[in-house]
Amino acid sequence: MSSKSYGFSVAHDRWRVIGPLELLVLVLLVVLVCWLVFPRDLSSILRNARMDAVTLSYARTWLQARPDDYELRLLMARDLIELGLFEQAEEQLDYVAGQSDQRELLNLQAWLRARLPFVALMAVPAEERADSPISVEAGFALRRVDPTDLDDDEVRRYADMALLLGNLDAAVRAYHLLAERQPSPSTWYRQAATDLLAHGRYRAAANEYLLAMESQTDPALRRADFLQALATLQAGGLLDQALAVGRRQGPAFADQPEVLYRLMNLARAAGDHRQAQFYATRLLRLDADPTPATGDGA
């Protein structure tokens, strides 16, 4: 027999002993053992990986060796919820709730538990959600969550969930939390104002516009938010409150004709002729002054 035919026979016999499938399994086992030897690497990889069937299998194997890796359990639960595997997600959440005493982890566990009925509710036709018992469960679960321990993306999602579940006050609190964390807080105060106005809460919406005004220094933006607050109160028929805001905040815009004109018209609409005359006089003085207005007069 030639050397070539002998080599072929040996290689052929080896493949018969270890087939391609068995070889693949062996390689995977070797990789898994190597990862277990370096647990930090495996833990880090699992935390950064998007869960699929293979990653879930590795994660379960890892948790058998490290059952106290609560952070990984919560990450698993998060992805299991998004995959619609609610029972498996709840198993992980129950384990964390029963074993961990860390406040941040328990709050994150409560947040993910609130996601369970909410995601299930979103699968219900929109016209049937209000009467669904899942809606009550989702609302109750959301109220148990403290958003202060959530990251910014989770707080945004929390606000969206609160709005869809009809908990407007919770959404506004979330917007305020984002405003405290963000470099441009006025954006979130305006978002709160928009949602409050959509629900007919004019006074609360006006207060949000005033918070937006106070959170910035740009004169044009401050004036725009102040005028929006006045317009919101007027739209709600709250003329007395609008005039009170004007008397309190108006001096900062004493050289702004647009603001004085709005306040004059508000006073007229409220029947306060003395106040209307006061603003009219200020307007006339501005018209008589040839010096152009600068700044916001603050």
Side-chain angles (χ1 to χ4, degrees):
M1 180 181 295
S2 67
S3 60
K4 290 185 178 179
S5 63
Y6 173 76
F8 172 79
S9 176
V10 171
H12 181 69
D13 290 341
R14 287 175 180 171
W15 278 113
R16 284 194 305 168
V17 174
I18 302 178
L21 181 59
E22 289 83 356
L23 183 60
L24 177 61
V25 172
L26 180 61
V27 170
L28 289 176
L29 286 174
V30 170
V31 172
L32 181 58
V33 169
C34 291
W35 272 344
L36 290 175
V37 172
F38 302 100
R40 292 183 180 178
D41 292 340
L42 175 59
S43 180
S44 176
I45 290 171
L46 291 174
R47 280 166 166 73
N48 295 324
R50 189 66 180 176
M51 292 292 175
D52 54 22
V54 175
T55 310
L56 283 172
S57 177
Y58 284 146
R60 290 191 179 95
T61 302
W62 168 258
L63 290 174
Q64 288 178 359
R66 295 292 183 86
D68 60 346
D69 192 341
Y70 305 125
E71 293 181 2
L72 180 59
R73 289 186 182 276
L74 293 176
L75 289 174
M76 277 184 62
R78 180 199 65 188
D79 289 338
L80 288 167
I81 291 171
E82 298 303 325
L83 292 171
L85 303 175
F86 301 136
E87 291 184 4
Q88 295 182 42
E90 197 161 9
E91 289 177 6
Q92 301 302 327
L93 296 175
D94 288 343
Y95 191 94
V96 174
Q99 299 296 325
S100 176
D101 58 358
Q102 298 181 44
R103 179 179 177 276
E104 292 184 1
L105 292 179
L106 291 176
N107 191 58
L108 181 55
Q109 178 269 149
W111 159 245
L112 292 173
R113 196 176 292 278
R115 292 282 299 164
L116 277 167
F118 180 80
V119 173
L121 182 64
M122 291 301 100
V124 177
E127 63 275 9
E128 300 177 11
R129 289 173 188 168
D131 298 327
S132 172
I134 305 177
S135 178
V136 177
E137 182 183 354
F140 178 76
L142 186 73
R143 288 192 291 273
R144 297 181 61 184
V145 177
D146 180 3
T148 57
D149 289 330
L150 303 178
D151 63 33
D152 289 355
D153 288 338
E154 290 167 343
V155 173
R156 293 187 187 96
R157 184 171 288 187
Y158 174 94
D160 292 339
M161 287 173 58
L163 287 175
L164 287 168
L165 293 172
N167 194 338
L168 179 58
D169 290 332
V172 171
R173 286 195 298 273
Y175 293 143
H176 283 196
L177 183 59
L178 288 168
E180 293 172 3
R181 299 178 179 180
Q182 300 293 320
S184 300
S186 59
T187 299
W188 296 106
Y189 291 131
R190 292 193 197 101
Q191 182 62 56
T194 299
D195 290 336
L196 288 164
L197 192 56
H199 288 79
R201 294 175 59 175
Y202 296 95
R203 183 179 302 175
N207 289 337
E208 296 297 322
Y209 282 120
L210 292 175
L211 286 174
M213 178 196 74
E214 293 169 357
S215 69
Q216 58 197 350
T217 58
D218 183 272
L221 293 176
R222 286 176 58 85
R223 180 174 63 249
D225 285 327
F226 179 65
L227 290 173
Q228 190 62 50
L230 296 178
T232 298
L233 290 170
Q234 186 175 14
L238 305 172
L239 297 179
D240 289 341
Q241 287 87 339
L243 285 177
V245 169
R247 284 191 290 269
R248 186 171 65 252
Q249 303 286 352
F253 306 94
D255 62 346
Q256 302 293 310
E258 185 179 359
V259 174
L260 292 174
Y261 185 76
R262 175 67 63 83
L263 291 172
M264 180 185 69
N265 286 335
L266 277 173
R268 287 176 175 173
D272 190 337
H273 301 294
R274 180 177 179 180
Q275 193 71 14
Q277 183 63 36
F278 171 79
Y279 291 124
T281 302
R282 296 300 298 267
L283 275 170
L284 290 173
R285 288 177 181 173
L286 287 180
D287 290 339
D289 186 359
T291 304
T294 58
D296 62 357

